Amino acid sequence: MGEEGVKKELYDAEVNHCLSFEQVSDEIIDRYKISTGNFDTISDSKYSIPSFLDIGRLYSIMIEDCAKPGEEVQELIKIFTSFISDEISDFSTDLYYQNPSYLEWSYREGRLLE
């Protein structure tokens, strides 16, 4: 997808927000030829699974708080490719439900803070 793809999808969001999540997801998967993988982070979950809107809101807060003006796309990519994204997506822990500031500062420090 890369930086240009992220920029395109953010630009298209003005229209795509009116479409179903499933339709937009299917179109993105097709457009960027994203292959099927094993990304099951919910089967062994001990906790309730947040909605994709709730997860998106958390990432949005982190991007807004961490990105320098004009560098939101680059920060989005950095966050999603960092350790914190894997940690947040591990729903067998309660990390997702921690204070967003804790998650943000853990990301900034490059490790989960104690």
Side-chain angles (χ1 to χ4, degrees), residues 1-2 4-9 12 26-35:
M1 184 172 193
E4 291 307 312
V6 172
K7 286 179 183 177
K8 179 193 180 330
E9 296 309 323
D12 291 350
D26 287 344
E27 290 174 2
I28 289 173
I29 289 166
D30 288 342
R31 182 177 301 121
Y32 297 102
K33 309 221 181 320
I34 299 171
S35 60

Side-chain angles (χ1 to χ4, degrees), residues 47-59 61-62 84-103 112:
Y47 304 97
S48 62
I49 307 302
S51 74
F52 58 85
L53 291 174
D54 291 332
I55 295 169
R57 193 172 302 116
L58 173 63
Y59 281 107
I61 290 168
M62 288 182 66
I84 200 69
S85 184
D86 290 336
E87 296 288 343
I88 290 170
S89 297
D90 181 1
F91 300 114
S92 65
T93 73
D94 66 346
L95 187 70
Y96 168 83
Y97 296 99
Q98 299 301 315
N99 184 307
S101 292
Y102 168 77
L103 297 173
L112 292 177

Side-chain angles (χ1 to χ4, degrees), residues 63-94:
I63 293 163
E64 288 175 12
D65 289 350
C66 295
K68 295 176 184 168
E71 296 182 13
E72 293 82 4
V73 170
Q74 294 84 358
E75 195 66 42
L76 179 151
I77 293 169
K78 283 174 48 180
I79 289 171
F80 274 98
T81 57
S82 77
F83 83 97
I84 200 69
S85 184
D86 290 336
E87 296 288 343
I88 290 170
S89 297
D90 181 1
F91 300 114
S92 65
T93 73
D94 66 346

